[in-house]
Structures are given as C-alpha cells and as structure tokens.
Amino acid sequence: MLQCDTHLRTSSLTRGFLWLVESWYSPVLAYLHVLNGLAKRPGDEQADEAWSVMCDNYEALMNGPKHHRTRLMVAIKFSRIALRGWEARKALRKEKNRPPEVPPRLVLEAEWIAIAGRYWERAKTSRSRLL
C-alpha cells in the first residue's frame, strides 16, 4: 500500500492529480499499522523492508506539495509511535552487537516534534502559572 502511494506521489504522470489522490486516500492507517508492528516486532524478517518502504513514502510526502493535509497528520500524530519503533530497532541492534544506524528523516523529524512538544507544554504551563 505504501509502495503504491509512493509511486503515485513521485510519478511525473500523476503530479497534476495529487489533489485527487489526497482527497480519496491518506496513508495514515498504513503508517499506524506498520509502526505498531515495528515497535512490537523489531526483529521481524521484513522489518528492514518495512522501514525502507515507510521512509521512502515519508520522503515522498514531505517533498510533495506543502498544502497536503497528510503531511501534518503524519508528522504530528505518529511522531511518538515512530520513536517507539526506532528505539526498539536500536535496542535490537545493540543487543546483537551491531553498529548504530543513522536515523532516517522520519525519525529525526519525530524527535524534533517531540522536543518541540515538550517545550510547548512547559511554556504553556509556565504561562498559566503567571496568569
């Protein structure tokens, strides 16, 4: 599903019709399913391919038109679950004495969103105490 979405979003043939793709379909449920599976089973035989497909799709989403609602939904809603999946992958690699991987853009942006969210919550709490 994510591979097909990636092809639709990156093909020059569909570039003028991405609004239609976006209005009928959003890969949000696929992200939820894949990320939950990766968090629970980081050592699965298809885990490497799942990360690769998901990261390719995320790149296609983020490099696409900026007005698409999916960009925001994916970035905000799944930042925590993406971090859980990546942490499980890091722990597995450490357990197997493999060198750490460079995090993909999906994970780096999820970390940034988590940090910004914590900062926002602290700022909001501090401001409410002042009022």
Side-chain angles (χ1 to χ4, degrees):
M1 182 185 288
L2 288 175
Q3 286 174 324
C4 291
D5 185 63
T6 302
H7 291 303
L8 283 171
R9 291 176 188 281
T10 57
S11 172
S12 60
L13 299 173
T14 57
R15 194 166 316 268
F17 301 97
L18 287 177
W19 63 270
L20 187 60
V21 171
E22 193 64 30
S23 65
W24 283 356
Y25 167 75
S26 174
V28 172
L29 292 177
Y31 271 84
L32 180 62
H33 180 72
V34 172
L35 286 168
N36 270 321
L38 289 170
K40 291 176 184 174
R41 297 177 302 280
D44 191 60
E45 62 186 45
Q46 297 175 337
D48 289 337
E49 182 182 1
W51 273 108
S52 175
V53 168
M54 192 173 43
C55 290
D56 289 347
N57 184 259
Y58 186 79
E59 288 293 329
L61 280 168
M62 294 301 123
N63 293 332
K66 296 189 184 327
H67 64 278
H68 286 171
R69 72 178 190 278
T70 305
R71 291 171 56 104
L72 184 61
M73 289 169 54
V74 169
I76 293 173
K77 298 289 184 188
F78 300 115
S79 60
R80 287 186 194 137
I81 193 168
L83 290 176
R84 269 198 336 229
W86 190 254
E87 289 300 321
R89 183 174 177 87
K90 278 182 14 182
L92 181 70
R93 289 185 68 84
K94 187 175 182 178
E95 182 181 302
K96 292 185 176 187
N97 294 324
R98 292 185 183 164
E101 292 178 287
V102 175
R105 181 179 176 186
L106 169 69
V107 174
L108 293 174
E109 289 184 5
E111 288 173 344
W112 183 83
I113 289 169
I115 291 168
R118 285 192 298 266
Y119 175 77
W120 178 254
E121 286 300 317
R122 274 190 251 137
K124 200 165 61 171
T125 304
S126 297
R127 184 173 179 193
S128 66
R129 280 190 233 155
L130 293 174
L131 298 176

